[in-house]
Amino acid sequence: MSGPAFVIGGCALLILGFLLLIAALVLLLVSRRKRQPVAPVPAADAPTMVIDVPRIGTMEWISGPLAGRKLEIPPGGLTIGREPGPGGIILDDPRVSKRHLSIGLRDGAVVASDAGSTNGTFRNSFAERVAAVRLHEGDTLIFPEDLARLVYRK
């Protein structure tokens, strides 16, 4: 082999050797990198700390755009509306106010509070429009014009 083919073949081998050298250096550097210590596994008889977060309950959507969904009420409460804020549930309908309804703990009880909505929130029937009401197992909250219904479960 001589001439231009020999030069091209030699260059290809040189480039391949250079790439292999770089790969070897990278592997060497990675293997020597300081590893983070692994936390020891506690012994079976070691005491453990358990944080008891009270369970508030769930809201089960039985009609409306979220029908069939169950939502755990977070410890900080829950807001529902067209623009409920961070972590809130959006009901994008003109009959729903921006911040329509809040559900959360108040004095140890689960309370649903209408946030001064224009069209109101109702409990169990359209006969009972609520401002703030303590929820009991099975209570149904109804949005205006039967847009959505949700049931409180402990």
Side-chain angles (χ1 to χ4, degrees):
M1 189 185 238
S2 65
F6 179 73
V7 173
I8 292 174
C11 286
L13 283 175
L14 187 61
I15 291 171
L16 181 61
F18 183 70
L19 290 175
L20 286 172
L21 179 64
I22 290 174
L25 286 172
V26 167
L27 285 173
L28 181 67
L29 290 173
V30 168
S31 67
R32 289 187 176 206
R33 194 177 79 208
K34 198 171 194 175
R35 295 191 190 334
Q36 295 294 327
V38 177
V41 176
D45 59 347
T48 56
M49 182 169 61
V50 176
I51 300 173
D52 188 22
V53 176
R55 186 174 182 284
I56 298 172
T58 59
M59 298 307 297
E60 180 180 352
W61 296 78
I62 58 172
S63 70
L66 300 173
R69 294 192 181 176
K70 292 181 183 177
L71 180 67
E72 187 78 26
I73 302 168
L78 173 68
T79 303
I80 302 169
R82 280 194 339 267
E83 297 175 20
I89 304 302
I90 297 172
L91 280 182
D92 192 16
D93 188 283
R95 296 170 286 186
V96 176
S97 295
K98 287 182 180 182
R99 289 201 168 106
H100 195 98
L101 175 70
S102 307
I103 303 169
L105 283 178
R106 187 184 304 162
D107 299 325
V110 178
V111 175
S113 302
D114 185 279
S117 68
T118 303
N119 295 316
T121 303
F122 304 85
R123 181 175 67 167
N124 298 329
S125 74
F126 285 106
E128 187 181 359
R129 184 172 176 162
V130 298
V133 64
R134 182 178 181 163
L135 293 179
H136 301 282
E137 174 74 25
D139 275 348
T140 301
L141 296 175
I142 308 168
F143 281 85
E145 298 179 33
D146 220 359
L147 168 70
R149 290 178 180 237
L150 48 153
V151 177
Y152 171 68
R153 304 278 184 218
K154 289 185 182 180

